[in-house]
Amino acid sequence: MELEQLTECYKAMADRTRLNILALLRHEELCVCELVEILQMTQPSISQHLRKLKQAKLVKERRNSQWIFYSIDGEMYPFIKANLEALPDMSEKIEQLKASGGKVCC
Amino acid sequence: MELEQLTECYKAMADRTRLNILALLRHEELCVCELVEILQMTQPSISQHLRKLKQAKLVKERRNSQWIFYSIDGEMYPFIKANLEALPDMSEKIEQLKASGGKVCC
DNA sequence: TTAGTATATAACCATATGTTTATATAGAAT
DNA sequence: ATTCTATATAAACATATGGTTATATACTAA
C-alpha cells in the first residue's frame, strides 16, 4: 500500500481515545452522544477524534434523524481485522450504557 | 491487549520514516549507517526513530563490532505480520545499496 | 417561526513530536 | 594512547496534536 495512506491510518490509531472508540464500535454502531457518555469526554473532543478516524477511512457515518451513527469501515486496510481483534473487549461499557437508559433508540 | 501498549505501538508506526524503516527491515537486518544511506536522512534522526521503534518493541538490536544491526521484533503483537505485509516493497532500495557498495559486510 | 437537541467547526492554549546541530560514548585500528 | 568510525544523547526550535470554550449548523418538535 501507499505509505501516505498507511501513515494516516496509524496516526489515526495512535491515540488512546480513538482506540477506545474503535474498540467500542467493534461491538456496534454508536452515535456521538453515546460515545460522549461512555468515554466521559466533551462532545467537541469526541467529534474531532471521529473526524480523524473518518478521514483515515477507519469509520463511516450514517445519519438517522438528528443523530449521526458511526461504525467501523476499514475496508481499504487488509490488516484491519487483525488489529481490531487485539483491542480490549468493551462490551461491559455498552451494557452499562443500555442499563442506564443512555442508549439512543431509533 | 492493553490500550497503553497498543497506543505506543501505533504511535511508533505513525510516522513515514519509521514505516520506511520497518519496510526495509522486513527484507533483512540493517545497521544505522545503512538506513541513513538509503533514507538520506541524518544519523541522529534515524537513531531517534529507531529508539522509538525499539521502545515499542517493534524492532530489536544486535551489536556486531562497531555496528548495531536492527531487525523486526514485534513478537508481542498478534497483528504485526498482517501490518508488515501491507508495507510497500523496498527490495529495490536494498539492491541499490548493495550495488553501490554501501553494504556493511560482517 | 421558535425552541430544543445533536453534532461540527473555530480559536486558543499547552504539550508532544520530528529535525537539526553539537557533543558524548563505544569499539577498531594504528 | 590516539585517531577514526559508528551510534547515542542532549539542547533548541518549529510544527503537530489534543483538549477546552465558544459558536455555528442541522434536524426535530411545538
Side-chain angles (χ1 to χ4, degrees), chain A residues 1 3-4 6-7 10-11 13-16 19-20 78-79 82-83 86-88, chain B residues 1 3-4 6-7 10-11 13-16 19-20 78-79 82-83 86-88:
Chain A
M1 283 188 69
L3 267 192
E4 291 305 329
L6 289 173
T7 306
Y10 293 124
K11 270 181 195 284
M13 297 187 74
D15 177 270
R16 187 194 176 84
L19 286 186
N20 261 317
F79 50 78
N83 288 45
L87 293 172
Chain B
M1 283 189 69
L3 268 192
E4 292 305 328
L6 289 172
T7 306
Y10 293 124
K11 271 181 194 285
M13 298 188 74
D15 177 89
R16 188 195 175 83
L19 286 186
N20 261 316
F79 50 76
N83 287 49
L87 293 173

Side-chain angles (χ1 to χ4, degrees), chain A residues 20-31 34-35 38 62 69-72 90-91 93-95 97-98 103-104:
Chain A
N20 261 317
I21 292 175
L22 291 175
L24 286 163
L25 295 183
R26 198 153 79 84
H27 296 294
E28 61 185 74
E29 68 170 12
L30 293 167
C31 67
E34 292 169 333
L35 290 167
I38 295 175
R62 170 181 78 84
F69 288 86
Y70 284 87
S71 56
I72 299 286
M90 306 279 283
S91 49
K93 291 282 183 185
I94 293 184
E95 289 314 311
L97 179 75
K98 287 175 178 168
K103 193 78 183 74
V104 171

Side-chain angles (χ1 to χ4, degrees), chain B residues 6-7 10 16-17 19 32-33 39 46 48-49 58 62 70 86 91 96 98 100-102 104:
Chain B
L6 289 172
T7 306
Y10 293 124
R16 188 195 175 83
T17 300
L19 286 186
V32 182
C33 62
L39 297 174
I46 296 291
Q48 292 184 66
H49 284 302
L58 283 166
R62 169 180 78 86
Y70 284 86
S91 49
Q96 285 171 17
K98 288 175 179 169
S100 70
V104 171

Side-chain angles (χ1 to χ4, degrees), chain A residues 56-75:
Chain A
K57 295 196 191 300
L58 284 166
V59 305
K60 54 178 187 278
E61 59 180 42
R62 170 181 78 84
R63 173 153 228 145
N64 186 328
S65 162
Q66 74 254 63
W67 296 280
I68 299 179
F69 288 86
Y70 284 87
S71 56
I72 299 286
D73 185 353
E75 289 179 13

Side-chain angles (χ1 to χ4, degrees), chain B residues 1-92:
Chain B
M1 283 189 69
E2 285 283 339
L3 268 192
E4 292 305 328
Q5 185 70 44
L6 289 172
T7 306
E8 196 183 357
C9 171
Y10 293 124
K11 271 181 194 285
M13 298 188 74
D15 177 89
R16 188 195 175 83
T17 300
R18 290 193 292 270
L19 286 186
N20 261 316
I21 291 175
L22 290 175
L24 286 162
L25 296 184
R26 199 153 80 85
H27 295 293
E28 63 186 71
E29 66 170 12
L30 294 166
C31 66
V32 182
C33 62
E34 292 169 334
L35 290 167
V36 167
E37 173 68 19
I38 295 175
L39 297 174
Q40 293 285 299
M41 295 180 64
T42 64
Q43 174 265 314
S45 185
I46 296 291
S47 277
Q48 292 184 66
H49 284 302
L50 285 169
R51 180 167 51 174
K52 282 213 171 184
L53 289 170
K54 190 175 62 175
Q55 281 173 181
K57 296 196 189 300
L58 283 166
V59 305
K60 54 178 186 277
E61 59 181 42
R62 169 180 78 86
R63 173 153 226 147
N64 186 329
S65 160
Q66 73 253 65
W67 295 280
I68 299 180
F69 289 87
Y70 284 86
S71 57
I72 299 286
D73 185 352
E75 289 178 11
M76 75 179 311
Y77 304 110
F79 50 76
I80 193 66
K81 182 173 283 189
N83 287 49
L84 292 175
E85 280 169 1
L87 293 173
D89 185 284
M90 307 278 284
S91 49
E92 201 159 319

